[in-house]
Amino acid sequence: MPTRLPTYFLSHGGGPWPWMKAEFGGAYDVLDAALRDIPRQVNGKPRAVLAVTAHWEGGEFALSSGAQPGMIYDYGGFPPHTYQIRYPAPGSPELAARAQALLHDAGIRAGLDAGRGFDHGTFSALYPVFPEADVPIVQLSLKRGLDPLEHLEAGRALRPLRDEGVLIVGSGLSYHNLRAFNGAGAAASHQFDGWLRQAMALPPAERSIALMNWERAPAARAAHPREEHLLPLMVALGAAEEEDAAVVYHEEAFMGALAVSSFRFG
C-alpha cells in the first residue's frame, strides 16, 4: 500500500442500491464497477476508512466512536429486505479519538458519538468497495450551516491520517435534486457536472477558490437545492489540497438522463 493514501469524493447512488441490482436492471453497473476498483487503486485494503457522510449533520462536527456500529435505514419506500441489511464492519474508537484530536488541534470543535450507526451514505458506498466488511469505519458528520470553507479546513486538519493508513472518503452525490432525479434534471446535471470536472483540472489554488464559490457555477442551485451531498467533497479536497484530481467515475446518463461523477485526489 502507498505510504500516503489518496482521498475520494464518491457519488454514492440512491438508497440501498447494492442490495437491489435486480430491481434496478443494470442502472448501477458502472458505479458498482468504479467502486469495486478502488482497492486496486490504493493497492490493497487501508487500515481504516474515515467516511464523511452527507446523511449526518450536527451543530459541530461529530465522529462515530462505537466499536460495533449499528445500522440506520435512512430511506423510505424500498422493499422490506432492504430494512434488514447488515454491513457488519467494525468501528474504531481509536481512529475517532485521533481524528477528534487533529480537529481540535486545528481549532475545530468535534464531538464523539458512540451510538451512531452506519447510514446508507456509508454502507451503500462502501459495501462494493469492501464487501467482506473487514475494514474499520469511522463516520464524520457535516457541520450545520454547510459552510464550504469550514469543511475544507476540516479536511486540511485531517490530512495526517493519510500517512497513517486511513482512507478518507467523502460520500455524497455530484448531483442531488430529488425532485428532478430524472429527465427533468438532465440539463442542470450536465451543466453543473461539466463545470465541476473543469474545476478539478485547475491548478490547486484556483481549484480551491472555485469550489469554495461553487454556487456561482452554472445550474449550481438546480443541481444542489441544498448542498449537503456536495459538502463531503470539500473535506476530501482539503485533505489533499495540493495534489492532482482524477475522475474515477462518470456517467452521462445515470438513471437514464443525469450526469454524475466521482473524484480521487492524490
Side-chain angles (χ1 to χ4, degrees):
M1 182 168 294
T3 302
R4 174 170 291 176
L5 288 170
T7 71
Y8 286 84
F9 171 71
L10 302 178
S11 287
H12 63 228
W17 67 265
W19 291 268
M20 294 182 61
K21 290 181 180 178
E23 290 91 336
F24 280 118
Y28 280 95
D29 286 355
V30 178
L31 176 58
D32 187 54
L35 293 172
R36 291 182 182 278
D37 191 52
I38 290 175
R40 181 196 64 80
Q41 296 175 31
V42 301
N43 196 28
K45 292 178 180 177
R47 178 174 67 86
V49 173
L50 181 69
V52 188
T53 171
H55 292 269
W56 185 18
E57 297 177 36
E60 60 185 27
F61 290 105
L63 294 139
S64 62
S65 58
Q68 296 293 331
M71 302 290 288
I72 299 174
Y73 305 113
D74 53 342
Y75 42 72
F78 289 93
H81 76 270
T82 64
Y83 299 91
Q84 304 297 321
I85 291 167
R86 294 290 183 267
Y87 186 63
S92 175
E94 296 79 11
L95 173 56
R98 170 65 172 147
Q100 182 190 43
L102 288 170
L103 291 166
H104 283 183
D105 288 347
I108 300 170
R109 292 177 57 85
L112 298 178
D113 186 341
R116 177 73 185 187
F118 295 142
D119 59 57
H120 88 263
T122 297
F123 66 77
S124 288
L126 292 180
Y127 171 72
V129 185
F130 306 115
E132 297 86 1
D134 56 355
V135 177
I137 299 168
V138 169
Q139 294 177 127
L140 175 66
S141 76
L142 303 179
K143 182 179 177 183
R144 197 169 296 131
L146 304 179
D147 184 331
L149 181 57
E150 288 187 314
H151 291 78
L152 182 77
E153 290 173 340
R156 290 168 176 164
L158 295 167
R159 187 177 306 171
L161 295 177
R162 299 175 55 208
D163 296 320
E164 301 170 13
V166 177
L167 184 66
I168 298 174
V169 171
S171 178
L173 274 170
S174 62
Y175 173 85
H176 193 257
N177 184 343
L178 295 182
R179 293 185 177 181
F181 211 72
N182 49 37
S189 75
H190 282 79
Q191 290 176 49
F192 185 75
D193 194 82
W195 172 85
L196 192 58
R197 285 181 286 124
Q198 289 178 355
M200 292 299 170
L202 294 171
E206 294 179 34
R207 180 179 64 195
S208 293
I209 292 171
L211 290 174
M212 291 302 96
N213 293 284
W214 71 272
E215 288 181 273
R216 301 177 185 175
R221 279 299 177 189
H224 291 279
R226 190 174 186 274
E227 57 266 42
E228 81 284 349
H229 275 70
L230 185 66
L231 266 290
L233 168 62
M234 308 306 174
V235 182
L237 169 67
E241 196 170 8
E242 301 304 318
E243 299 175 52
D244 290 340
V247 178
V248 292
Y249 161 70
H250 176 72
E251 290 194 66
E252 289 285 312
F254 176 64
M255 302 304 285
L258 304 173
V260 290
S261 296
S262 297
F263 304 97
R264 183 185 68 237
F265 300 95

